[in-house]
Amino acid sequence: MEHILDPLWEGTDAEEPASYLQHLADNRITLDIVPNGCRFFLQLTNDPRCHRELVEFLRLNTNDPLIPQALDVLHSYTGLKSLVLKGGHELDECGKTKSGLLTSLPSELCSLSNLHHLDLSFNSLTELPLCVTSLSCLSSLLLCYNQIGTLPDTISNLRNLELLSMMFNLLSVIPGEIGQLRKLKRLDLSENKLETLPETIGGLQECTELDLSGNCLMELPETMCHLVSLQQLHLHSNLLISVPVGLAVLPFLKRLDLKNNQLRYVPEEIMNCPCVHLQGNPIGIAEPTPSTEDQVPVLKSKEIYLTSEDKSFLVTPDGCRVFLPWGLQFCFPHGAVSSNVTIYFQILPPDREHVKLGHHDVLLSYTLELQPHDIQFNQDVEICIPYFVKQSMRRRKESLEVPTILGTPRTLRKREVVIRTYSGEDWTDLATTSCTKRNLAICKVPHFSWFFVVSRLVKDQCQVPKDGEVLFSSVDQNIRIEFPPGATEETRTISMQVLPVSTADFQSITGDSQSATSPLLCLSQSSSANFLCPVKIQLPLPPGVTGDTLDRSRLVLLHGDPQAQNWTDITGQVEFEITHIYARFQVDHFSWYWLWYTTKTYIGEIAKNVYTRLRMSQVNFVALQRKRDPEQVLLQCVPKQKVDTTMKKLKDRYKGPEPSDLVEIVEGEQFFAAFEQGLQLHSDRPDCVNGKISFVFYSRMKNIKEVYVTSQADRKEKDVKGQVSFYRGSVPVALPKEATKHRKGPNSDWMATLPLKLPKLKLLYGENEKGRNGSSLPPLNLGNAETGYLTETNLSSIARRIGKEWRTIGMNLDLSYGELERISHNNRDDLDQQIFDMLFSWARKNCNQQDCVQRLIEAMQVSGRQDIAEEIVAVIELGKQKYAQSILRLGLDQGNSSEDSAIAMSQS
């Protein structure tokens, strides 16, 4: 090792160098903890015998008053590899660490081309000196405890940087160019004022430790899930309200610190990750509203809690998080809108207009409509939609985990949950995160439309370039598609879905105990053109069949057309390559492929029937009458596995025949119920056409409706016996004769018929022609023709739906305690009569009041009977429609008086 000073000193008058030589060690100068260190450094530098080019390591104290003079000569140390210019070596009068005097660096320092390590911590820098970004060999840069507010774009020049530490600065933003630091392994930006992170941060592919704690971050870019080398991620003490679910699957992650944030919801994948720390988050806890505006954190997103009565809410540029009673959540990030916008929403019952399903899709939620549809947000808005799921599905997931080839556990899923939306031209599936623990589907959207959740077959996708590609199925890893080089000129997107088929179900449907089938393979692509050269498909041989025992005459390959829903035998058009467990063949275009092993012939029609049957659910139809009010009939289509539990729940309030025989029905299939043999619907409903109730079957929905039925037959003397029948399809003008024969079969629309009985009428108060005193009572109507009537019959129907809560309803209708006690005493053995007395006594006192109907609706809502309140609203709306129609028929305009309108109604 060469010495940085010559061994001989010429001249006896020279100062003894031992005073600063004691701080020299080979090629190092350590003067940061030495009093008057900068003075010694200047003396050493000015000595003509000092070999400054040999110094590689230098440490100076920037609290030293002579640090400016030391900086002026620093550029002459051209061999430096490590330079430490730190403050913090002194304390002020309060005992706090004093920052160094360094506010900038001389531009000449860019000549230190060999510098690898630079530490400027504990200084007074407000910006990064420009000369620093010229140090292209720099691998470590420490700028902790300064006052730097921004970083220059030229930070990207530090291509060899592996460590950047800037804790305790004033950074509010970092440039996107930081993503170009490809070699960066450790990045510490903790204790700053960062509100957002650039999307380009995902470019730090070599980063193993990232510290963003102690900032003001409310959300993280999804690109952070691309940090595949990450081992330590510190995000504690921020304002995070959500985190990307992909963080949980980073392959080398050992610690994910999310403590002390504002996380109310955490995806299940994050929650279950063993390396995650979540203490100090209000998960599942509603935070109390601050009492004054001064208490509201400026950087925290506003939270809005809506009730079932709300139909809209206001979004400001500051953003907000919205919570609905049904579990729906919306998150509008800061800046999502440029000005205040009112958002309207509604929950629509599932129907064929607002729900579009594929062949193997299962509907999991109601339809959410958000308006305005044409608004384009500046930033994507997060939507969380709750969905229905069977308990058995959760249990089944635990048995699907198997080891992969590399020995890492992997969960093989047959289905996945996605949110589907209308894009303006077609229905598309969004990139969706599913939290199975809370049954929430989460996505981000740039605009609003209709949204609903479906369960679909897992879709595997890949991009196929000119050079070729191989696509494996994540459902069955024995299935693969090989695209040779030159199969396509332009890159195509290939999608694969696999439907496993149970051997027992297959044999039951075909009636052939010797038959078997491989999984059904559904292939599609983004291009309509055929491939330029054949593509090889590999399918597993059907269960129980091997290449050694295979009878090739029984092996059949079917080609399916999903549009025409037919199947064609293409066995003679392909050449099979059979191995011990695989069958391989080549095709030049994509569709659906199904490999059978059977003795059947002409199997095209058989396959069509098997495919249809595989899509069907087995259900029972239920028709029950309420015990207290037999005119109220409950109709329900129940999956067979739920029939026993459903009947058990209903038996206390309903009675009726046993459920129908098993019927098979397809997800999303339309059917209707028709009352026959003297029975008819009591009133019109939106889902009622020609006296028949329409349904759409969704296996995860309740498929339940309650209606009121009457009979034109005289019920004063005897019961009326009728029936309700269920038919496939939409409601026709008249039932075909073939359907009325109630014959089952492949071409029959009839599915089931159940008997009903309306008992003899029991006259109740309010329906009698005379009151208790024997005097004749005038007809009782609440409201008026223009705003809608509640007739005496309507009130009787409402009374039949009230139960033991009648006292509460009476008190909310402002009936006195004494009146309620009198009604209770006079009818102490008859609950029905108590209810009718309460309702009709109030109605007769208030029928002339303008707001009587609204008061009745509000009383039902306050009493917890929202269902009755909604029924009243529906009746009133129907009355308004009929009134308006009568006005149009008679040519009357809105200028007519109420009296003229009433005359018109009576004439019509």
Side-chain angles (χ1 to χ4, degrees):
M1 176 73 66
E2 294 187 77
H3 294 285
I4 62 173
L5 288 177
D6 288 335
L8 300 175
W9 287 79
E10 296 180 359
T12 57
D13 294 335
E15 181 179 347
E16 173 61 47
S19 58
Y20 55 84
L21 280 177
Q22 60 182 324
H23 305 294
L24 305 180
D26 294 329
N27 57 352
R28 299 173 182 266
I29 300 178
T30 305
L31 295 169
D32 56 334
I33 57 174
V34 178
N36 302 315
C38 285
R39 182 171 67 88
F40 290 139
F41 174 70
L42 291 171
Q43 290 175 354
L44 176 63
T45 305
N46 293 329
D47 193 292
R49 287 160 295 186
C50 176
H51 297 287
R52 286 170 282 185
E53 70 280 1
L54 300 181
V55 178
E56 295 182 352
F57 302 91
L58 175 62
R59 300 177 67 95
L60 295 176
N61 175 10
T62 57
N63 291 114
D64 194 314
L66 293 178
I67 190 64
Q69 291 86 335
L71 292 177
D72 289 340
V73 299
L74 199 57
H75 65 277
S76 61
Y77 287 79
T78 55
L80 279 177
K81 293 183 178 179
S82 174
L83 175 61
V84 178
L85 302 174
K86 289 178 64 175
H89 296 286
E90 298 179 8
L91 302 179
D92 61 15
E93 60 275 8
C94 298
K96 292 184 178 180
T97 302
K98 290 179 66 174
S99 297
L101 303 177
L102 197 64
T103 58
S104 64
L105 291 177
S107 59
E108 291 83 359
L109 291 189
C110 64
S111 62
L112 303 180
S113 57
N114 296 314
L115 199 63
H116 287 72
H117 177 85
L118 177 60
D119 189 347
L120 303 176
S121 302
F122 291 92
N123 280 292
S124 302
L125 296 171
T126 57
E127 60 183 6
L128 183 65
L130 292 178
C131 63
V132 173
T133 59
S134 300
L135 304 173
S136 57
C137 290
L138 209 59
S139 60
S140 298
L141 176 59
L142 292 89
L143 299 163
C144 310
Y145 290 92
N146 278 279
Q147 301 171 36
I148 299 174
T150 59
L151 285 174
D153 296 346
T154 52
I155 190 72
S156 60
N157 295 340
L158 302 178
R159 300 286 182 173
N160 293 302
L161 200 62
E162 296 180 5
L163 167 64
L164 175 59
S165 181
M166 296 192 65
M167 64 185 298
F168 282 96
N169 275 275
L170 302 176
L171 291 173
S172 59
V173 65
I174 54 177
E177 286 75 9
I178 199 169
Q180 299 178 27
L181 304 180
R182 303 297 184 184
K183 295 184 178 181
L184 196 64
K185 295 182 179 180
R186 294 175 59 196
L187 176 59
D188 188 348
L189 300 175
S190 60
E191 303 301 329
N192 279 276
K193 298 183 180 298
L194 294 173
E195 298 180 12
T196 60
L197 297 174
E199 296 283 341
T200 54
I201 198 170
L204 304 178
Q205 298 288 302
E206 298 296 322
C207 188
T208 60
E209 183 173 349
L210 176 57
D211 194 339
L212 297 167
S213 59
N215 281 282
C216 306
L217 297 171
M218 299 179 65
E219 59 181 5
L220 303 173
E222 291 287 340
T223 53
M224 286 189 64
C225 302
H226 301 163
L227 302 176
V228 292
S229 300
L230 206 58
Q231 298 179 22
Q232 305 277 341
L233 178 55
H234 303 276
L235 293 165
H236 67 80
S237 307
N238 275 279
L239 300 172
L240 292 173
I241 58 176
S242 65
V243 289
V245 68
L247 295 178
V249 295
L250 290 175
F252 302 105
L253 194 64
K254 297 178 180 178
R255 182 179 180 86
L256 175 55
D257 192 343
L258 294 169
K259 292 184 290 188
N260 300 319
N261 277 281
Q262 299 299 317
L263 296 171
R264 297 185 182 278
Y265 159 71
V266 179
E268 181 182 17
E269 292 85 346
I270 297 286
M271 187 79 74
N272 295 336
C273 187
C275 66
V276 174
H277 300 265
L278 291 165
Q279 296 91 331
N281 281 284
I283 298 174
I285 302 174
E287 186 172 285
T289 303
S291 57
T292 65
E293 292 186 1
D294 294 338
Q295 294 174 305
V296 180
V298 175
L299 297 174
K300 188 174 179 179
S301 182
K302 178 183 178 182
E303 294 181 351
I304 302 174
Y305 293 87
L306 303 178
T307 68
S308 57
E309 301 301 312
D310 295 318
K311 302 299 180 186
S312 64
F313 55 90
L314 183 68
V315 177
T316 68
D318 293 333
C320 62
R321 194 168 187 92
V322 185
F323 298 87
L324 275 66
W326 309 282
L328 287 164
Q329 298 179 30
F330 313 127
C331 180
F332 295 83
H334 181 82
V337 295
S338 302
S339 58
N340 291 357
V341 176
T342 300
I343 302 297
Y344 298 89
F345 65 92
Q346 61 175 332
I347 310 298
L348 302 171
D351 57 39
R352 294 169 70 88
E353 179 182 358
H354 297 107
V355 173
K356 302 299 180 184
L357 298 178
H359 280 196
H360 304 287
D361 296 337
V362 177
L363 182 66
L364 299 182
S365 75
Y366 296 110
T367 301
L368 167 66
E369 183 182 12
L370 294 170
Q371 293 182 324
H373 290 174
D374 56 350
I375 188 172
Q376 191 76 22
F377 296 108
N378 301 327
Q379 298 184 50
D380 287 353
V381 175
E382 183 180 83
I383 299 177
C384 304
I385 305 179
Y387 60 86
F388 305 106
V389 65
K390 295 179 182 177
Q391 293 292 331
S392 58
M393 286 186 64
R394 292 200 189 104
R395 293 193 294 268
R396 223 172 20 241
K397 283 185 64 179
E398 300 174 2
S399 63
L400 294 178
E401 192 172 277
V402 297
T404 63
I405 297 174
L406 299 177
T408 303
R410 179 180 182 183
T411 300
L412 298 181
R413 301 173 299 142
K414 298 178 182 179
R415 306 190 69 85
E416 59 189 357
V417 173
V418 295
I419 295 177
R420 187 162 294 167
T421 185
Y422 186 68
S423 62
E425 298 179 357
D426 198 3
W427 292 87
T428 58
D429 292 344
L430 301 171
T432 306
T433 301
S434 175
C435 175
T436 56
K437 182 175 289 186
R438 299 193 179 191
N439 297 340
L440 277 178
I442 307 164
C443 70
K444 290 188 176 183
V445 295
H447 57 81
F448 280 166
S449 182
W450 292 272
F451 305 91
F452 58 88
V453 184
V454 299
S455 168
R456 72 177 186 189
L457 296 177
V458 169
K459 182 177 287 188
D460 297 304
Q461 290 184 316
C462 74
Q463 301 291 322
V464 179
K466 289 182 179 180
D467 298 336
E469 186 59 87
V470 178
L471 175 60
F472 287 89
S473 168
S474 62
V475 175
D476 187 337
Q477 294 184 350
N478 295 312
I479 298 176
R480 59 183 285 174
I481 315 294
E482 297 180 15
F483 302 89
T488 178
E489 283 290 339
E490 298 181 353
T491 300
R492 307 187 189 190
T493 301
I494 305 299
S495 299
M496 173 199 296
Q497 291 177 292
V498 173
L499 176 66
V501 180
S502 163
T503 300
D505 292 342
F506 183 74
Q507 293 177 351
S508 174
I509 297 173
T510 59
D512 181 4
S513 61
Q514 303 300 316
S515 63
T517 177
S518 68
L520 170 59
L521 178 62
C522 309
L523 297 174
S524 61
Q525 59 172 325
S526 57
S527 173
S528 59
N530 288 354
F531 292 102
L532 300 179
C533 58
V535 172
K536 182 179 289 187
I537 297 177
Q538 173 181 290
L539 293 174
L541 290 172
V545 180
T546 65
D548 300 333
T549 62
L550 176 71
D551 180 355
R552 290 211 175 205
S553 66
R554 296 178 58 186
L555 192 64
V556 179
L557 180 63
L558 295 169
H559 171 277
D561 184 343
Q563 301 299 324
Q565 298 189 35
N566 57 27
W567 295 88
T568 305
D569 183 352
I570 61 170
T571 310
Q573 303 174 27
V574 300
E575 183 176 343
F576 282 114
E577 175 189 341
I578 304 296
T579 68
H580 184 64
I581 58 174
Y582 299 127
R584 300 188 180 104
F585 55 93
Q586 294 183 333
V587 297
D588 62 1
H589 66 281
F590 276 171
S591 187
W592 293 3
Y593 297 96
W594 206 356
L595 191 63
W596 283 30
Y597 193 69
T598 180
T599 57
K600 300 283 186 180
T601 55
Y602 306 106
I603 64 173
E605 283 301 314
I606 299 176
K608 183 176 181 179
N609 176 57
V610 172
Y611 177 71
T612 302
R613 294 279 301 277
L614 287 174
R615 294 175 54 209
M616 286 185 163
S617 298
Q618 291 187 319
V619 301
N620 300 87
F621 291 102
V622 173
L624 301 174
Q625 295 172 271
R626 191 179 283 269
K627 291 180 180 179
R628 283 200 303 110
D629 181 11
E631 291 183 351
Q632 184 176 348
V633 179
L634 179 146
L635 303 175
Q636 188 171 7
C637 178
V638 188
K640 69 173 185 177
Q641 66 272 18
K642 294 184 178 180
V643 170
D644 292 339
T645 55
T646 300
M647 296 298 291
K648 186 176 181 180
K649 291 178 181 178
L650 296 173
K651 68 177 182 180
D652 293 335
R653 293 176 295 148
Y654 295 89
K655 62 180 180 179
E658 291 295 315
S660 71
D661 294 335
L662 280 178
V663 176
E664 292 183 330
I665 192 167
V666 176
E667 181 83 10
E669 183 175 352
Q670 199 167 4
F671 67 96
F672 64 91
F675 292 93
E676 301 164 340
Q677 294 188 1
L679 299 184
Q680 60 188 19
L681 285 174
H682 181 271
S683 60
D684 291 337
R685 297 164 48 114
D687 54 0
C688 176
V689 182
N690 299 327
K692 302 171 181 65
I693 294 291
S694 63
F695 291 78
V696 180
F697 171 73
Y698 298 110
S699 58
R700 303 292 170 80
M701 305 298 171
K702 289 188 176 181
N703 304 295
I704 184 173
K705 294 184 181 182
E706 283 197 77
V707 297
Y708 281 89
V709 297
T710 59
S711 174
Q712 294 181 347
D714 187 3
R715 293 170 52 198
K716 295 181 180 179
E717 302 296 332
K718 61 178 181 179
D719 300 340
V720 173
K721 296 181 180 180
Q723 64 187 28
V724 59
S725 295
F726 298 89
Y727 301 89
R728 298 186 191 275
S730 57
V731 177
V733 176
L735 283 175
K737 292 183 178 180
E738 188 62 31
T740 59
K741 295 180 180 179
H742 295 177
R743 292 177 180 171
K744 283 189 176 182
N747 300 318
S748 174
D749 292 329
W750 173 80
M751 294 186 289
T753 294
L754 295 169
L756 296 174
K757 181 176 71 173
L758 293 182
K760 291 188 300 182
L761 284 175
K762 176 183 178 183
L763 297 180
L764 297 169
Y765 177 62
E767 295 178 316
N768 292 334
E769 294 180 357
K770 296 183 178 181
R772 288 187 177 276
N773 58 6
S775 59
S776 177
L777 295 174
L780 176 60
N781 292 317
L782 299 183
N784 56 62
E786 189 170 354
T787 60
Y789 275 127
L790 278 183
T791 66
E792 204 165 323
T793 303
N794 296 139
L795 288 174
S796 298
S797 174
I798 293 168
R800 292 188 180 99
R801 297 191 63 180
I802 299 173
K804 295 181 179 179
E805 72 279 6
W806 70 272
R807 283 176 173 271
T808 303
I809 295 174
M811 294 180 68
N812 289 322
L813 287 171
D814 295 329
L815 292 178
S816 67
Y817 178 78
E819 286 180 286
L820 295 175
E821 282 296 303
R822 176 184 57 77
I823 293 172
S824 178
H825 177 75
N826 292 340
N827 306 284
R828 50 188 174 272
D829 297 324
D830 192 340
L831 176 62
D832 287 339
Q833 198 63 53
Q834 289 173 344
I835 297 169
F836 274 80
D837 257 9
M838 178 276 295
L839 188 59
F840 277 86
S841 62
W842 171 84
R844 294 204 178 277
K845 290 179 182 178
N846 295 273
C847 59
N848 295 323
Q849 300 293 325
Q850 291 290 331
D851 63 343
C852 57
V853 175
Q854 185 59 35
R855 286 171 57 195
L856 181 59
I857 293 172
E858 292 174 355
M860 294 299 175
Q861 291 173 337
V862 174
S863 304
R865 292 307 303 267
Q866 180 67 29
D867 55 332
I868 300 179
E870 291 174 356
E871 181 182 333
I872 297 172
V873 172
V875 172
I876 293 298
E877 289 299 322
L878 187 61
K880 289 181 182 179
Q881 293 174 13
K882 290 186 174 181
Y883 172 78
Q885 292 169 0
S886 68
I887 293 295
L888 293 174
R889 285 199 303 270
L890 295 176
L892 300 177
D893 56 29
Q894 295 180 352
N896 291 110
S897 65
S898 298
E899 183 178 355
D900 292 338
S901 300
I903 294 173
M905 287 286 289
S906 63
Q907 290 175 344
S908 64

